[in-house]
Amino acid sequence: MTDHTAEPTPAAPAAAPAPADGRTPVPAGRIVLLTASHRVAPGLLSWPAWRTLHDADRVLCADPGHPQLPYLREAGVSVEQVAPDAHELVEACAGGRTVVVIPGGEGDGRLTDGLARLAGSGRVSMPDLELLPGSYDLPGARLLDVVQVMDRVRRECPWTSRQTHEGLVKYALEEAYELVEAIEGGDRAELREELGDVLLQVVFHARIAQEGVTDGEGAETDADDEAAVGPFSIDDVAGDLVDKLIRRHPHVFGDEKADTPEEVHAHWQATKAVEKQRASVTDGVPLAQPGLALAAKLAGRVRAAGLPVELPEGEGIGRELLALAARAEEAGTDPETALRVAARAYRDAIRAAEGLA
């Protein structure tokens, strides 16, 4: 997919050769290739693009179904449905005329290659050649491509089309762990790739949810089931996230004030408490997470709430690990991360003992 994000870079015009009788050379004109991002709604063109279209002597487009055409006609721009070759286009510019060419979504390699050959021959007085982006991608525009590609893969891929939320759970866990490993390993190329894999899981699940509620076998659930939720899309997921970020950052989007990370955390927790209306401080703590992380999370909830709950007494490695996790949390240390660091050092020692680098 073509990415029209570069600034316009007009090619250096080829000087028209002076006639042998000393007369003023005839202007060779101007060719403008007007591109537009397919990720921006048709008709939303820049002011330089609209000005060039209205001032041009001719506007050409070979594709009768080009998405820009209805908006150009509505704006009073006359567009000719022709596909000139390089020679014809150069001749159309003779006398100093400006011709705008609107290529298709994949560009027009035949035309641009022909113009390059003519310019390189040195035998033709070439018009000025200009690439004019009519619209640019906004930040995050490639996410639209992700959604479109995922939609097609879901429809046409024999494996992807049969997947369910339940069947993808293990992949979500694997990708999350691989992301953690990339972060801890400090490999930015790997980090970039793993972030993409985690994003894939989000888009994949949202695409499945768009089709409705299914059970573990992929069948539709009873619409009267009180736990059933209607279909939703990636836009609903993103919209909910935007709303949540705004609600939980009143110091950014509202009148509240926060000058320290601690004050920001307090705002976040206060807003979250109003939203969730939980009966217990343990509500919302996922019990399926790794044991050390679970123990530290529970200890943190108890400490933050000021509850007088002592750690369970008794013998056994589980109780000892629970106490260590609570102690680490109170000291501001993530026990899972600390244990992984120690385990990595242990792995390196093992490899060294094996004579491996």
Side-chain angles (χ1 to χ4, degrees):
M1 300 180 181
T2 306
D3 189 6
H4 305 289
T5 56
E7 292 293 332
T9 52
D21 57 7
R23 291 178 299 171
T24 302
V26 177
R30 175 182 174 219
I31 298 173
V32 180
L33 299 179
L34 179 64
T35 62
S37 172
H38 67 279
R39 305 178 190 94
V40 176
L44 297 180
L45 300 176
S46 65
W47 169 241
W50 281 116
R51 181 175 56 194
T52 300
L53 286 164
H54 281 290
D55 292 345
D57 295 286
R58 297 177 68 186
V59 178
L60 314 179
C61 181
D63 180 8
H66 197 289
Q68 297 288 353
L69 294 186
Y71 301 93
L72 299 184
R73 296 190 184 103
E74 186 177 352
V77 176
S78 177
V79 182
E80 303 174 42
Q81 186 187 333
V82 294
D85 60 24
H87 283 93
E88 292 170 339
L89 189 56
V90 170
E91 291 175 356
C93 294
R97 290 188 291 271
T98 294
V99 178
V100 176
V101 178
I102 304 176
E106 300 300 323
D108 190 340
R110 175 191 63 85
L111 179 60
T112 54
D113 289 347
L115 290 171
R117 284 192 296 270
L118 284 179
S121 70
R123 297 191 297 269
V124 178
S125 177
M126 292 295 293
D128 293 347
L129 303 178
E130 179 181 346
L131 175 63
L132 177 60
S135 60
Y136 298 88
D137 286 343
L138 297 173
R142 295 308 303 272
L143 294 175
L144 299 176
D145 293 341
V146 175
V147 174
Q148 291 178 354
V149 170
M150 184 72 247
D151 185 62
R152 180 173 178 180
V153 172
R154 176 67 174 174
R155 292 195 313 268
E156 301 180 17
C157 173
W159 183 87
T160 304
S161 62
R162 289 174 170 81
Q163 298 310 301
T164 64
H165 294 302
E166 294 77 8
L168 293 174
V169 167
K170 62 180 180 179
Y171 301 109
L173 291 172
E174 289 174 4
E175 299 301 351
Y177 284 130
E178 289 176 8
L179 174 60
V180 171
E181 185 173 355
I183 293 172
E184 294 181 346
D187 187 328
R188 291 187 62 80
E190 186 177 357
L191 172 61
R192 176 173 171 171
E193 179 181 355
E194 297 305 335
L195 284 171
D197 289 342
V198 171
L199 176 61
L200 169 61
Q201 296 303 310
V202 175
V203 177
F204 202 161
H205 280 281
R207 180 60 181 81
I208 295 173
Q210 190 174 335
E211 301 165 8
V213 182
T214 60
D215 60 19
E217 302 299 323
E220 292 289 334
T221 60
D222 187 347
D224 295 330
D225 184 350
E226 64 179 7
V229 178
F232 58 86
S233 69
I234 188 66
D235 287 315
D236 298 312
V237 174
D240 290 347
L241 175 58
V242 169
D243 292 341
K244 178 185 290 186
L245 286 172
I246 292 174
R247 284 196 312 271
R248 296 190 181 178
H249 289 82
H251 53 289
V252 176
F253 301 99
D255 299 329
E256 300 291 340
K257 184 178 180 182
D259 297 322
T260 66
E262 292 76 19
E263 291 175 343
V264 172
H265 181 72
H267 281 313
W268 183 277
Q269 293 301 327
T271 307
K272 188 174 180 180
V274 173
E275 291 175 7
K276 300 298 184 180
Q277 294 292 316
R278 288 168 173 162
S280 169
V281 297
T282 65
D283 291 346
V285 176
L287 299 179
Q289 64 184 303
L292 281 178
L294 173 60
K297 191 68 174 178
L298 291 172
R301 289 286 183 92
V302 168
R303 184 171 58 83
L307 294 174
V309 181
E310 298 295 331
L311 294 174
E313 296 181 356
E315 301 296 328
I317 191 67
R319 305 295 176 93
E320 295 176 21
L321 288 172
L322 175 61
L324 281 174
R327 195 176 78 192
E329 191 281 331
E330 186 175 8
T333 299
D334 177 13
E336 281 287 340
T337 301
L339 181 57
R340 278 198 304 274
V341 170
R344 283 173 179 268
Y346 186 37
R347 180 200 60 180
D348 293 343
I350 294 172
R351 293 175 63 85
E354 293 171 332
L356 301 175

